[in-house]
Amino acid sequence: MIKLIATTARDRDRVGEIAAVAARFGLGVLLARLGFANEGAEAEAGALPLPRRTRLTLEALGPSFVKIGQILATRGDLLPPEWIAELELLHSDAPTLDFEAIRAAVEEALGEPPEAAFARFDPVPLAAASMAQVHRARLRDGSEVVLKVRRPGIRRAMEADMRLIAELAALVERGSAEARRFEPVALARQLRQAMLEELDFTQEGRNADRIREDLAGQPGVLVPGIHWQWTSETLLVMDYVEGVKPLSAEILETRGIDPAAIAALGADLVIEMVLVHGRFHGDPHPGNLLCLPGDRLALLDLGSIGHIGPGRREEFLGFVLSLAWGNPRALAETLALWSEGHGVPRGRIDRAAEQIVQRHGGGRIVMAEMVPDFLRLLREEGLVMPPDLLLVFKAFVTMDGVLARIAPGFDLSDAIRRAAARLVAARFAPGRLAASGGMLAWTLAGLGDDAPRLLRAAIRRIEAEPPNDAATAAAIRRGAGWIAAALLGGAAILAMALVL
């Protein structure tokens, strides 16, 4: 394998670096099996647990590998809790660079020195991460802004890493049936897409604009404005926001902020993003949230956001409501839908639904407790969850953790139930019915065309082979009754749609 990857001379040095770092943390044997290193590599990490050594290796290898670890941290359906807990510790912090080391990149993006573009520019960075660092500045009109500057050379290094990761993923998927459960090739594609989005700061700016537009009806939520005249692929200029992180009720109260009001707003925020708009912040942890005077919330770091379609939103909502109402049969139907096409026996699905309802159903749902337990059941029973829903669950678990810090006892699942009632009511609003009436009428018209043909075929089949027992005859009569009721109901709905 090493010959395959190292045929590209520009990546050869990076392969050696990966092998050396992995060996330092005791993963040399694994890389040797894959052809990345020589057998017998000595570990320098002592007797640390394997998940810890893996996390340290990913951090040492830089942003590409940190990102793939962060993606794996959302896959509780595949990895046991000790791995998830360790990978969730991954961070992309990095030492700050002296501004002179990035001055040329900033001047190229601005078209002039920052001292000329702004009324004031602070060369001392506010913060730094593996891909960028942040500086404060002031506009000519007195507005305070921050500049997020991409580190020079980071794109080239990350593109090399993505080539190597894609090759490694293909090798692992071909060679290991167990690893194929992780879908490493698809994971590598997901990584590449996420990297390209985060490397292009105009994408983060567009995300911010879209989320701000989505949340226009939430006056208590602030998404910093983007200054597009200075923003480019390598530089993002946005409003500076000063606030306090939601770390505890005591901290908020000392700033005159009501923790209960922030908890209610945070719940409404994540519910609206996911269930109404289908576009959401996938990691609303305290570092990406700021509490502001007037019991408001600011949403930061929108480089990568999650998306979920209408069908998946209904499935997620059905899952939560079935669990809250303690209905294992309804929950099993949702699980069966997610596992469809994967050959999972129905008995396993029913067993998993019953167990999760017994442990967490029928009342308040503590997301931080329920989700890990549910994902463990998925692993044990061989069930499947769509990857896009994993990020949704992670967003709700993260927000639930924030709410538990500032307002212990706050019931996020109750907020979801209340939101479900509003969503159902909105579906039956006259405007919504009028908008969907044409499609509904078209669908029902098609059903009307097909129904007589299907009924005649069924009658011919029954006449040719009449039932020879009372139970079958009774079942046919009940079925006929349901068909008649469905046709009458469809006709009524069609009439209502046409009137509206």
Side-chain angles (χ1 to χ4, degrees), residues 380-437:
E380 291 177 353
E381 300 294 345
L383 275 65
V384 177
M385 179 186 287
D388 52 351
L389 280 178
L390 285 165
L391 192 57
V392 172
F393 274 98
K394 181 177 184 294
F396 274 93
V397 168
T398 305
M399 182 59 80
D400 202 27
V402 173
L403 304 184
R405 287 185 177 194
I406 63 174
F410 186 90
D411 189 351
L412 179 58
S413 61
D414 185 55
I416 295 174
R417 284 194 292 268
R418 293 196 304 272
R422 294 196 304 270
L423 292 173
V424 170
R427 279 192 173 191
F428 289 97
R432 179 71 179 270
L433 285 174
S436 59

Side-chain angles (χ1 to χ4, degrees), residues 462 467 471-481:
I462 293 171
T472 302
I476 291 173
R477 284 195 297 272
R478 286 196 301 272

Side-chain angles (χ1 to χ4, degrees), residues 425-491:
R427 279 192 173 191
F428 289 97
R432 179 71 179 270
L433 285 174
S436 59
M439 182 57 68
L440 177 62
W442 179 264
T443 302
L444 289 172
L447 175 62
D449 288 342
D450 290 340
R453 177 180 54 82
L454 294 174
L455 286 172
R456 284 194 297 271
I459 291 169
R460 283 196 299 269
R461 180 65 180 269
I462 293 171
E463 288 176 343
E465 300 178 23
N468 54 12
D469 63 272
T472 302
I476 291 173
R477 284 195 297 272
R478 286 196 301 272
W482 281 111
I483 291 172
L487 289 174
L488 288 173

Side-chain angles (χ1 to χ4, degrees), residues 3-4 32 54 77-78 119 125 143 182 192 205 225 227 230 235 242 343 367 383-384 398 419 449 473 482 494 499:
K3 292 182 179 179
L4 173 62
T54 302
D77 58 325
L78 298 175
S143 302
F182 291 80
R192 179 177 178 80
H227 295 269
W230 293 296
L235 179 68
E242 187 167 1
M367 291 283 185
L383 275 65
V384 177
T398 305
D449 288 342
W482 281 111
L494 176 58
V499 169

Side-chain angles (χ1 to χ4, degrees), residues 274-287:
V274 171
L275 296 180
V276 177
H277 304 292
R279 182 166 34 227
F280 61 96
H281 198 309
D283 196 17
H285 62 73

Side-chain angles (χ1 to χ4, degrees), residues 360 363-372 397 400 404 410-411 413:
H360 303 279
R364 181 190 175 198
I365 303 171
V366 181
M367 291 283 185
E369 297 176 2
M370 182 277 292
V371 171
V397 168
D400 202 27
F410 186 90
D411 189 351
S413 61

